[in-house]
Amino acid sequence: MKRSLILVTLIVLGWCSPALAAQNLGRPVTQADWLERLPLFLICVLFVIVVDTVFFIAARRRALRRSS
Amino acid sequence: MIRTLENLVAFKRIPRKIVLATLLASWMLQVGMIVQQQPLYIIVLFTLLPWVPVFLFESLWKIEHYHWIAIFAVIVVLQLGHLGEHVAQTGALVFTNATLACPPPVDSAANAQRAIDAGLRRASSAPTGLSAAVIVMPDSSGSARLDANGQPVSGPPACGVFGQLDLEIVHLIWEVAGWLLAMLLVVQFPRSRWLWLTAVLATVHTVEHLFISYTFFLDPTAVYAGTRQLWGTVANGSIVTAYPLGGEPALVNFYAVAGKNGILARGGLVGALFPSLNAGLPTRPFLHLYYNAAVTIPLVIGFVQVARRTYDRYLARAVPGLTTQELVAVTPELEPVRFKPGDVIVREGDLADYFYVVSKGEVEVVREHDGVEQVVSRLGEGEFFGELGLLNGGKRTATVRASTPVEVMRLNRQTFSERLALKIKAVLNLRGYES
């Protein structure tokens, strides 16, 4: 479990790292550079949704327990 | 409701004379720093410093007595301070010739040497290591911007009061902590809709900082065309002025050239993917002011809503039959009093004037028989005494002495008679006492 988590993290970080490194040194940022980082944005969103869901379920359960 | 909020912010743990001494120390330090012509962050730091232990001990006491509502209050205070930093930053940008160079340039050996080479500083003056309080605005080439009269335009650094903390790691830790605390508050107070709104808005803000921090910490490849601003610093006493001394072409990473704008700020992800929207988006300082205001406003409303139900946990433990409404009504009337071991809290035969709840330590109840003292019982946290004299309208029936360092919450005779007497009678009847 632990090992697969580390592996997934490494794959995600590798996937999100800019693949254009060491190419066209001294170039300006283009839309392609941003597009390359779009999956990272989605991963950030996914991460917070997962954490939020855990807390919101806990909050909902607590509210139900109190009202019963 | 006002009485409850007042009780929550009033000093309960820290004696009035200590509060006054702190106020005096804070004021003296503030005046001292102003007289010494120290920069703003030093003045504010020394003004706040004496209050740190007072705030800490008072907060710990309130957390012990009011639990999550006190934690909530601490979060509100810290978040308001954080919002203040953002207001200071954007206020400086709007109302002064402030420069967005955060953290501000430091009077380091390299910056001092650059100023010496440019003829701005005497070679004999040593660098102070202080942050610049005044910055001469750079133009697009990195040199000093001049006004219509050919004079350099200068102003404060637009980094809030404590610009030294304007670092991505500080932003990340603060926002993620704020987000998780907002979530914990939702779990504790699930009925407050304002808190749910706070949590959702804090989540959106957190996504921004996670994204920005990724480009800052894990996206280091320097392949983009950028400019490194060179500064020269001159110290006049404690006031450091930073002069822009040209821009050096450099290869920079994604963060430096674009990533620092994050997702929604001008020049960020949304602006890059939808160029027609870019010009209408706020710049990063203003976007983050809006984010913080959006999080803080529902947080404060949620706090006011929840704080109306503040009551003392020790009172609730001592008199379990009280309703939340009754607890809330009595709590502001409780007065904490502390005693050393051996101190007599009430003496047998004295006129009964107060009802007591033990909130810390242990007391012993002593009665005298034929001149010999006998310990009748020992009472600990969440237990009460002093009720029999009040209920019978007469004198103390026993002596109560502190056997350890003790804190009791006392309630005067009138409030006791009006709000507690009936419930206490019921508790005593349950225990088989005759009042």
Side-chain angles (χ1 to χ4, degrees):
Chain A
M1 177 69 182
K2 208 172 175 183
R3 208 176 287 171
S4 19
L5 266 178
I6 293 170
L7 194 67
V8 168
T9 310
L10 286 175
I11 290 170
V12 165
L13 290 179
W15 179 39
C16 296
S17 296
L20 298 174
Q23 285 179 15
N24 304 323
L25 284 178
R27 63 194 172 79
V29 168
T30 63
Q31 213 175 39
D33 292 304
W34 281 105
L35 279 170
E36 200 186 21
R37 287 161 178 87
L38 199 57
L40 166 70
F41 164 66
L42 298 175
I43 287 166
C44 293
V45 172
L46 200 68
F47 170 68
V48 294
I49 286 174
V50 169
V51 176
D52 278 14
T53 308
V54 172
F55 278 104
F56 286 163
I57 289 171
R60 188 96 190 101
R61 278 191 185 163
R62 201 182 172 97
L64 286 173
R65 218 175 30 238
R66 277 187 191 173
S67 60
S68 63
Chain B
M1 183 192 144
I2 290 171
R3 187 87 180 89
T4 304
L5 286 174
E6 206 181 304
N7 177 61
L8 205 53
V9 292
F11 287 101
K12 292 277 186 172
R13 171 69 185 89
I14 309 292
R16 187 170 291 183
K17 57 187 177 189
I18 303 277
V19 175
L20 288 174
T22 308
L23 187 70
L24 187 68
S26 169
W27 178 73
M28 282 170 68
L29 283 168
Q30 187 186 57
V31 171
M33 293 302 119
I34 292 171
V35 169
Q36 282 186 37
Q37 295 186 320
Q38 293 288 345
L40 181 65
Y41 71 91
I42 299 273
I43 297 171
V44 177
L45 181 70
F46 276 81
T47 306
L48 294 179
L49 219 51
W51 290 105
V52 172
V54 171
F55 182 73
L56 189 75
F57 284 111
E58 189 63 34
S59 301
L60 288 175
W61 187 90
K62 292 215 163 90
I63 289 168
E64 242 175 61
H65 285 256
Y66 308 136
H67 286 196
W68 272 97
I69 290 178
I71 295 172
F72 197 168
V74 172
I75 294 170
V76 167
V77 169
L78 294 175
Q79 184 57 28
L80 283 172
H82 182 68
L83 179 64
E85 278 288 272
H86 282 273
V87 170
Q89 178 180 50
T90 46
L93 284 170
V94 172
F95 299 112
T96 68
N97 295 318
T99 300
L100 201 61
C102 306
V106 174
D107 188 28
S108 62
N111 286 340
Q113 187 57 50
R114 223 174 270 125
I116 292 167
D117 295 344
L120 294 166
R121 181 180 184 135
R122 280 201 314 269
S124 55
S125 63
T128 58
L130 294 169
S131 299
V134 180
I135 297 187
V136 175
M137 223 183 229
D139 62 14
S140 55
S141 70
S143 304
R145 180 179 293 180
L146 304 176
D147 63 13
N149 302 318
Q151 295 300 308
V153 181
S154 64
C159 314
V161 176
F162 298 107
Q164 297 80 356
L165 296 175
D166 197 344
L167 305 166
E168 286 307 343
I169 185 71
V170 176
H171 289 297
L172 179 70
I173 291 171
W174 188 277
E175 302 307 343
V176 170
W179 166 54
L180 294 175
L181 285 170
M183 291 296 161
L184 281 175
L185 288 176
V186 168
V187 176
Q188 290 304 318
F189 307 104
R191 287 190 193 150
S192 168
R193 289 184 182 170
W194 289 103
L195 269 179
W196 283 77
L197 180 63
T198 305
V200 170
L201 293 167
T203 301
V204 178
H205 193 185
T206 301
V207 174
E208 273 278 357
H209 280 282
L210 287 175
F211 186 72
I212 293 171
S213 296
Y214 177 84
T215 67
F216 185 79
F217 293 109
L218 301 169
D219 197 351
T221 325
V223 292
Y224 302 99
T227 308
R228 193 164 68 93
Q229 177 66 51
L230 299 175
W231 297 99
T233 48
V234 175
N236 181 8
S238 305
I239 303 293
V240 173
T241 303
Y243 292 86
L245 295 175
E248 194 179 56
L251 287 176
V252 293
N253 63 8
F254 183 76
Y255 169 85
V257 77
K260 62 188 170 199
N261 297 316
I263 297 160
L264 264 183
R266 193 180 301 164
L269 178 68
V270 170
L273 298 184
F274 306 99
S276 58
L277 292 178
N278 192 43
L281 295 172
T283 56
R284 176 172 167 166
F286 287 91
L287 175 73
H288 286 260
L289 171 73
Y290 304 150
Y291 271 135
N292 274 290
V295 169
T296 310
I297 292 167
L299 183 78
V300 171
I301 298 173
F303 172 70
V304 172
Q305 207 180 40
V306 165
R308 284 186 301 193
R309 295 194 294 271
T310 307
Y311 61 82
D312 195 288
R313 306 285 152 169
Y314 293 101
L315 177 66
R317 261 170 68 182
V319 195
L322 290 174
T323 63
T324 304
Q325 261 178 331
E326 288 167 331
L327 286 165
V328 169
V330 173
T331 293
E333 311 303 327
L334 292 169
E335 185 192 349
V337 192
R338 277 163 282 277
F339 296 92
K340 292 193 290 289
D343 283 355
V344 172
I345 304 170
V346 300
R347 194 180 294 280
E348 191 175 347
D350 282 359
L351 197 68
D353 45 3
Y354 287 100
F355 167 75
Y356 298 87
V357 173
V358 182
S359 54
K360 189 165 273 180
E362 194 186 69
V363 298
E364 51 190 19
V365 183
V366 179
R367 278 209 183 104
E368 228 173 88
H369 282 290
D370 303 328
V372 182
E373 270 193 357
Q374 222 175 4
V375 176
V376 180
S377 64
R378 291 179 190 278
L379 303 171
E381 289 171 16
E383 293 184 286
F384 62 81
F385 61 89
E387 76 289 358
L388 290 177
L390 290 173
L391 288 171
N392 297 330
K395 296 189 172 176
R396 297 293 186 199
T397 53
T399 296
V400 180
R401 209 162 37 206
S403 44
T404 63
V406 161
E407 182 193 70
V408 289
M409 306 295 290
R410 71 179 188 187
L411 191 68
N412 63 40
R413 174 198 286 269
Q414 195 189 340
T415 317
F416 176 82
S417 308
E418 285 170 8
R419 299 186 183 274
L420 277 191
L422 284 175
K423 286 284 162 82
I424 294 289
K425 270 183 185 169
V427 172
L428 293 179
N429 285 338
L430 271 175
R431 291 181 188 170
Y433 282 96
E434 284 291 326
S435 61

